[in-house]
Structures are given as structure tokens and as C-alpha cells.
Amino acid sequence: MLILNKTAGVFFKPSKRKVYEFLRSFNFHPGTQFLHKIVLGIETSCDDTAAAVVDETGNVLGEAIHSQTEVHLKTGGIVPAVAQQLHRDNIQRIVQEALSASRISPSDLSAIATTIKPGLALSLGVGLSFSLQLVGQLKKPFIPIHHMEAHALTIRLTNKVEFPFLVLLISGGHCLLALVQGVSDFLLLGKSLDIAPGDMLDKVARRLSLIKHPECSTMSGGKAIEHLAKQGNRFHFDIKPPLHHAKNCDFSFTGLQQVTNKRIMKKEKEEGIEEGQVLSSAADIAATVQHTMACHIVKRTHRAILFCKQRDLLPQNNAVLVASGGVASNFYVRRALEILTNATQCTLLCPPPRLCTDNGIMIAWNGIERLRAGLGILHDIEGIRYEPKCPLGVDISKEVGEAAIKVPQLKMEI
Ligand code: KG4
Ligand code: ZN
């Protein structure tokens, strides 16, 4: 029996009989030969239960996802035990749907790839234990996946992108800039010193009670802010961008959240309403927060581009900047990044929004990348554990700060 990280609490293990019955529901074709490698990817690191079957050429043969957003919106944030239970309730169905849609037999899989780090312990545990059962039954290799590496490499499924490239990962749980030199070769240039931008947007949206806004009630905080900001005036009030004087590539979003909260309280007083009601100026606040966040992200990314070019880590012309993660599905942020890439002779590439947020396709694709490179393919799963915390690549952020690169001002007319 496998012993997982103790923080996982009660270990979820579907019975052998249940997994056997699950596998019997597929038609096996033992004689079928597939020319391409095919990987089943499973993702449960946060609040999405997702699975997909992807082949070596990047064809998505089948996919399924169950999002917990609506449940967590009601509780005002992710309650790990609730997320865990929802993963347990849905994982078998989601994997089954992805496999059925792919019309392949599980015996045709080349490997099973699953997110094992970083993420919520209770959530990671469900995906890992389910996957290990499946691996044991099917006698397939197992490929452990780093969630952030998967976000970073998704672009190679949708576009022809060679190494090296710069990646900006901005989501609800993460915020980092890294140079991608290979499938498993990353240099970390900077990261958030506190919360991630998606987390900040979620908190601001909650403080603005956007769940009560008729146009935003089922949207994630970030999506609600983007939607409302279109109707707002970003010049309504002025917020200083964070870490203005720090000449590195780190990020910070807590200060922005606190200043916005103060502004909301002031507006509530002015409008004579209580916390929990929607302000008439909510759209202006959304527009201002979104703009300040975008400018901060652009400034740090600008410095990362200059640093990489200065050190010959990226080509001087046509270097690629990839933006991914839930917040990269925001079109205002994308336009701001486009201003930057135009000014620095770089090319901006973003996966389509549904591949920016968490999904099973990126995990399966990372499995394909690892299979092709012959990296991290396990035939013995004894002792495999999930890791709630796990940095990405080699951290050179101190060196980036020491270079103290001055970033020229860009006109952010978005
Ligand atoms: O990548 P993701 O699905 O999960 C994490 O790994 O965190 O990102 C989810 C985050 C949430 O904080 C959500 O509010 C934010 O991405 N998000 C957005 C948008 N859509 C989702 N933020 C800004 N604009 C959007 N359109
Ligand atoms: Zn993610």
C-alpha cells in the first residue's frame, strides 16, 4: 500500500473491484496497433477535475472537465475538503468520459500522466491515488507532472514553438516568469512575493459582491472583473503600480488588493450602502484594478525580456513570449502584453482561453513531451508522492535583481 504525504489526511483509494468494473466498461481491442504515442492526462491540483487523451501529433482525442467554480463561489473561496470531495465524486466519470470520447481502448494508452505538484494536498491526493490504481490495473508507465511546467508547454501543442522561450504564468495560484530551455529545463526569473493576480482579482470581486451582479453571478472573480471593466473608466482613481522601485522581475498583488479595498470602503460610505451590496461604481473599480495589474505584469515581463536578451538567453529578434494560466485568458492583459512585444520585437503567443485555465489536455501533452524526450517515465510507482509545494526550475531571480535593469516607459494605451 502506498503511503502518501501525511497532510493528505484520509487517503482516498477506490476499491480494486470498482476500478475493474470501470475498465470493463470499455471495449478492449488487444490487436489494434497505434502508430502514435497516446497519453491519458489527469488533473486535480486545484478545483477542476479534468482528463484528456492526446496523441503524439497533438490531436486531442477526448477530453472532459468538471469545474467546481460555482460551488466555491458560494463559499467565498476554495474549501480544500470540499474540493477533495468533489474530485472524489467526479474523477471516475471524467476519466471515463475522456476515454470514451477518444474511442480508444485503455490498453492502447502509451502512459498515464497526472499532476502531482504543486497544488492543494487534498486535491492532488485524489488524482494521484486514482491514477496509481489505473496504472496498476493497466500495467502502463506513469508520468508525474509539474502543473506549472504543463501550463508552460501547452503552447507547443497549439503552435510550432522551439526552445528557448520566455513564459509568463499568471493564474489563481501562481505568478511567475521563467525561461523555458527544454521540456524539463526552466530558469525562474521572478515570482510573486505574496498572492497571485487571479487570487487578487477573486478577492476584489468578492469584496465587490459581484456574485450578486446579474451579469457576473456564475463567473470566476477574474472573469467578472474583465467583464465589468469593459463598462468602467480606468481613470476613475489612481493606484500606484506595486514594487515600483524594485529592479527585479518579482511581483506583488497584496498591496493592490488592500488599496482597492480601502477605495471600496470609501465609495460605500459615499454611496451610503453596506458591504455586501453592489456599488454603482463597481465597473470603474474593476477597470482600475485590471489596468494597474496589467501594467505591473507588463513592467516585470519587460525587464525579463531585457535581461534574457542581455545575457543571450533569448534571440535579439523574434523571441517568443508565451502567456498562460487563467489570468492570461484576460484580453485586456493580452493587449497590454502585445504593446510590450511590439516594442521589444518579440512575438506574443497565448494558448486559447480554455487551454489557459486548468485542463486535462495540458497534462496529457506534457506526458507526450516527456515520452518523446524520454524524461521522467516511471515503470515502478513505489513510493511516489504528491508535493503541495514545488518550485519551478532553477531560481536565478537574485541574479536578475542584481542586474538592476532599468525599464523604459511604455505608453499603455489599451
Ligand atoms: O489557471 P487557473 O484555471 O487555475 C490556477 O491554476 O489557479 O486560473 C484560475 C484563475 C482564477 O483566479 C480566475 O479568477 C482567473 O484565473 N481568471 C481570470 C479570467 N478567467 C479566469 N482572470 C482574469 N481574467 C479572466 N478572463
Ligand atoms: Zn493552473
Side-chain angles (χ1 to χ4, degrees), residues 268-279:
E268 281 170 349
K269 263 196 190 144
E270 279 171 28
E271 292 187 22
I273 65 167
E274 300 272 308
E275 178 174 344
Q277 292 174 274
V278 182
L279 281 170

Side-chain angles (χ1 to χ4, degrees), residues 110-331:
S110 313
I112 295 171
T114 302
T115 307
I116 68 151
K117 59 192 175 184
L120 295 175
L122 296 180
S123 297
L124 288 167
V126 178
L128 179 57
S129 54
F130 184 86
S131 303
L132 294 184
Q133 286 274 349
L134 216 51
V135 162
Q137 295 276 335
L138 292 169
K139 309 229 171 334
K140 297 287 175 187
F142 181 61
I143 308 179
I145 301 293
H146 189 298
H147 182 82
M148 303 314 287
E149 288 186 9
H151 270 305
L153 296 184
T154 307
I155 200 70
R156 282 165 50 88
L157 177 144
T158 54
N159 300 62
K160 223 176 134 24
V161 182
E162 301 295 333
F163 300 117
F165 60 88
L166 186 65
V167 72
L168 167 72
L169 297 178
I170 38 178
S171 70
H174 303 277
C175 178
L176 58 87
L177 273 161
L179 185 74
V180 190
Q181 303 189 116
V183 171
S184 182
D185 184 1
F186 292 73
L187 292 181
L188 184 67
L189 305 168
K191 60 181 187 308
S192 176
L193 302 176
D194 39 59
I195 60 174
D199 191 12
M200 183 274 292
L201 293 176
D202 291 340
K203 286 183 165 118
V204 170
R206 267 204 302 281
R207 184 60 187 78
L208 283 169
S209 303
L210 296 188
I211 194 168
K212 292 187 185 155
H213 194 290
E215 292 167 25
C216 309
S217 61
T218 60
M219 292 177 185
S220 68
K223 204 166 169 45
I225 296 279
E226 179 177 25
H227 178 79
L228 266 196
K230 288 183 194 139
Q231 309 158 24
N233 172 11
R234 73 170 163 89
F235 299 105
H236 187 67
F237 65 101
D238 201 32
I239 309 179
K240 256 207 159 119
L243 298 179
H244 197 56
H245 298 292
K247 290 194 183 64
N248 54 33
C249 290
D250 288 334
F251 300 81
S252 169
F253 296 96
T254 297
L256 179 52
Q257 184 214 332
Q258 287 165 350
V259 173
T260 308
N261 272 1
K262 277 192 193 146
R263 176 59 52 163
I264 294 170
M265 283 192 307
K266 191 164 172 263
K267 278 278 160 197
E268 281 170 349
K269 263 196 190 144
E270 279 171 28
E271 292 187 22
I273 65 167
E274 300 272 308
E275 178 174 344
Q277 292 174 274
V278 182
L279 281 170
S280 69
S281 52
D284 296 332
I285 293 170
T288 310
V289 167
Q290 180 177 256
H291 178 74
T292 314
M293 174 190 77
C295 290
H296 178 49
I297 289 170
V298 163
K299 183 103 185 242
R300 314 323 275 182
T301 310
H302 196 166
R303 183 169 287 116
I305 291 173
L306 297 180
F307 176 84
C308 289
K309 286 192 180 184
Q310 196 186 75
R311 301 286 159 109
D312 276 331
L313 294 167
L314 278 176
Q316 298 303 319
N317 287 310
N318 295 324
V320 171
L321 167 67
V322 172
S324 192
V327 179
S329 63
N330 181 298
F331 284 97

Side-chain angles (χ1 to χ4, degrees), residues 12 46 60 80 93 111 153 179 199 232 335-336 356:
F12 164 69
C46 190
V60 179
R93 175 178 64 82
L153 296 184
L179 185 74
D199 191 12
R335 281 202 300 279
C356 277

